[in-house]
Amino acid sequence: IPYNAIITLTIKLFNDNSNILTFYQNYYTSILVDEFQDTNDRQKQLIYLLCGDDATNLQGRKLFVVGDPKQSIYRFRGADVSVFAEVRQAIKEQGGVDITLPDNFRTVDKILEACNEVFEELLGTDEKQDVFFEPLIPHNTSENKPVLLQVPFDKETKDIARQMEAAAVARHIEELHQQGEAYGGMAILLSAMTACNIMTEALEKAKIPYQIV
């Protein structure tokens, strides 16, 4: 049975057998769902049934969800970020509290300042939208500022552009090393391992030691 069918069949089981639904409603006194920005309407219906007797309207105050709509990445798998906004509002209507956590302890101030400036313009601040900008507050500082590298390319020149990008990254690493930064104190984050070979070739040409993790 595929995953989507499991959810559909479970919803049908609950709707057709009130005694089974009641058992699980009593069994789960509290429900926490993480990464809720990547759920869909059927998953919401299942959760709502566990919280009450209505698959379309939230009942009770046993549901706690955690999520960030800006991090919704599974639309290609059927995720619907609007469900997060809908459930967020439903929880408030049931007397729940909407808690925002803007404090960031991972990233330094210079990077967050750049991110806040870019994403405010990109996402907008209209809270009626499913996804909107909420500024992050840094708690770590650094003197180093982020460097923006723009390599224009099209479908025909994509591979050349990647090589140029990798070479530029290698040069920047070497510049930082010459300024006293240890090679072991720097890392390259890749969006996919398909770009790994191009990057390692550039590092080898620059005689920069590296380790793939």
Side-chain angles (χ1 to χ4, degrees), residues 80-101:
D80 183 356
V81 70
S82 67
V83 172
F84 178 78
E86 179 185 339
V87 174
R88 190 174 178 178
Q89 180 61 33
I91 290 176
K92 289 191 288 186
E93 291 174 356
Q94 288 295 313
V97 179
D98 186 11
I99 302 172
T100 301
L101 303 176

Side-chain angles (χ1 to χ4, degrees), residues 164-182:
M164 293 173 59
E165 178 186 44
V169 170
R171 286 196 301 271
H172 189 60
I173 289 175
E174 186 57 36
E175 290 172 2
L176 292 174
H177 180 65
Q178 294 298 326
Q179 296 171 14
E181 187 70 48

Side-chain angles (χ1 to χ4, degrees), residues 67-150:
D68 181 356
K70 296 187 295 298
Q71 297 186 39
S72 181
I73 58 174
Y74 287 108
R75 183 177 180 181
F76 70 98
R77 291 184 178 177
D80 183 356
V81 70
S82 67
V83 172
F84 178 78
E86 179 185 339
V87 174
R88 190 174 178 178
Q89 180 61 33
I91 290 176
K92 289 191 288 186
E93 291 174 356
Q94 288 295 313
V97 179
D98 186 11
I99 302 172
T100 301
L101 303 176
D103 297 275
N104 184 296
F105 297 92
R106 293 181 176 180
T107 309
V108 296
D109 54 347
K110 299 298 188 297
I111 293 178
L112 284 186
E113 288 168 4
C115 290
N116 284 338
E117 182 176 349
V118 170
F119 281 99
E120 181 176 11
E121 182 176 348
L122 182 66
L123 300 177
T125 57
D126 184 359
E127 297 186 10
K128 295 180 181 179
Q129 299 298 316
D130 295 330
V131 181
F132 57 90
F133 170 74
E134 295 174 285
L136 295 173
I137 302 172
H139 286 266
N140 295 309
T141 59
S142 173
E143 294 301 319
N144 295 325
K145 296 182 179 180
V147 176
L148 176 62
L149 171 65
Q150 292 181 308

Side-chain angles (χ1 to χ4, degrees), residues 1 18 21 28 34 42 44 46-47 56 65 86 95 104 108 112 124 129 144 148 155 162 164 199 203 207:
I1 301 176
S18 59
L21 175 59
Y28 295 110
D34 196 9
R42 275 181 301 182
K44 183 203 74 174
L46 177 59
I47 294 167
T56 58
V65 302
E86 179 185 339
N104 184 296
V108 296
L112 284 186
Q129 299 298 316
N144 295 325
L148 176 62
K155 189 175 182 179
R162 285 180 174 175
M164 293 173 59
M199 190 61 67
L203 295 175
K207 295 183 172 53

